[in-house]
Amino acid sequence: MIDNSIQSLIACCIEQMRKDGYAEQCIETHRRRWQKGIVSFMVEKQTVAFTTGVGEAFLSKILPGLAGPTQRGHRRSIHLLDEFMKTGKVRRRIVKLVEHPLNGEIGKIVEEHLDWLKSQRRRDLTIHNHRRLLSYFVEGLSQKGIHHVSELTSDAIVAFVDYTQTCKLEHFYAIRQFCAFLHERGYTRTNPGYVLARNNFPQHEKLPSVYDSDEIRKVEDSIEQSSAVGKRDYAIFLMASRLGLRISDIASLTWNNIDWDNGKITLYQSKTKNPVELPLLKDIGEALVVYARNARPKSLHKEVFLSAKAPYRPMTRISLNGVITRIMQLSGVDTSNRRFGPHSMRHSLASNLLRQGIPIPTISSVLGHDSTQATMEYLRIDVTNLKECVLDVPLVDEPFYVQKGGVFYD
């Protein structure tokens, strides 16, 4: 019989997850949710024994108002704990993705294509996804008796993409890029992927969620700064709201990235690997100093932002996302029909700079975009300037409406 006292239950569950081969990052995510969520809830309720009812009561209290992905994460953690208590097992929610071997002539060329992607400094995750998707393609062709490039036809390509049941769009782009590689390297006389020149998979357009400068100021003023956690969270939020840093860049920020003498922050972006140089604004500098002197745990970790409880670790993208989401939810700012995660701060900064008349190239530099084309997306939400593009409808003289006896109205 498994001990259902909450701390013992969590410890046993984590031990079982390690035996089952769960990644440490996954285990840490669940541990953090349990300690900050259900454990705190049970302390408040002055109870030690975990039950299904206690878990459901906790979910009923915290889920309303949370973003969908956050809700699913909390449900998963509580249900995982409940299932382990009842069965002694931890059931995996996601089936491990299969990756087929890259056999034969086409498989060998896929390997060459992947090496080329690596030489183009594509992210490891991107290359891994291309390998997996193209392994399905090679396996599918093999099952159709196609083992050589000379046997590859446009009909075979279309048939494979049409047959895929999941991730159709991902297969589409991976195969189209591979076919272009075949033609560029001289393996085919023409590009066999020409039939994939157009993407006919509809995608719903999403407008960025933005907050104006007054709303951002209200959120910043709402952050409690008397506690160590408050001091840390205030500095984190300023990094997102004033500089527009991606959450991955905030997580990887180190003290070496901060040039106090020259008042600037220099780093290589996690997403693009491109360097970006930003001003060390006065408010951000002061917030970092207050955090470092009065709130940051003593640690050998070089990352700026650490967890508030021992063992002290660098904060992850998930934990930083939770910080900003929580701040937005408690700020009193209306978030109805708007997303309120860290990327909304990035969109808001761009939008507010546009309203101030800052040129697009300057905004691109601030956001660390490769080109101004990426920044042009933010023009869609610059309503003020869009209104200035509206042309007045010219007045039409009355004779136009009564010509030919008023036949216009027939």
Side-chain angles (χ1 to χ4, degrees), residues 26-126:
C26 176
I27 295 173
E28 173 61 19
T29 298
H30 286 294
R31 186 199 65 78
R32 185 170 56 252
R33 288 200 193 113
W34 289 327
Q35 293 295 343
K36 292 185 177 181
I38 187 64
V39 171
S40 298
F41 175 79
M42 292 177 66
V43 169
E44 180 183 332
K45 297 297 182 181
Q46 298 183 342
T47 182
V48 175
F50 176 82
T51 64
T52 301
V54 170
E56 292 302 323
F58 165 69
L59 292 176
S60 298
K61 178 182 177 182
I62 68 158
L63 292 187
L66 294 180
T70 306
Q71 288 187 3
R72 291 192 291 272
H74 281 293
R75 285 199 187 97
R76 167 62 177 163
S77 292
I78 293 302
H79 293 164
L80 187 150
L81 203 61
D82 184 59
E83 184 175 20
F84 176 74
M85 179 185 67
K86 294 176 178 177
T87 67
K89 299 179 180 179
V90 178
R91 179 170 54 88
R92 286 189 177 273
R93 182 184 57 170
I94 301 175
V95 178
K96 186 177 181 180
L97 295 173
V98 175
E99 182 178 309
H100 300 286
L102 298 173
N103 295 326
E105 179 186 87
I106 299 177
K108 183 179 179 180
I109 300 175
V110 168
E111 292 281 12
E112 184 180 337
H113 172 59
L114 296 173
D115 289 339
W116 177 81
L117 290 178
K118 188 174 182 179
S119 71
Q120 299 301 303
R121 302 182 66 182
R122 296 295 184 87
R123 298 178 64 191
D124 291 340
L125 180 60
T126 300

Side-chain angles (χ1 to χ4, degrees), residues 388-408:
E388 295 181 4
C389 300
V390 176
L391 300 177
D392 294 330
V393 179
L395 294 176
V396 179
D397 295 334
E398 184 177 354
F400 173 79
Y401 296 101
V402 297
Q403 60 183 320
K404 296 183 180 181
V407 71
F408 180 83

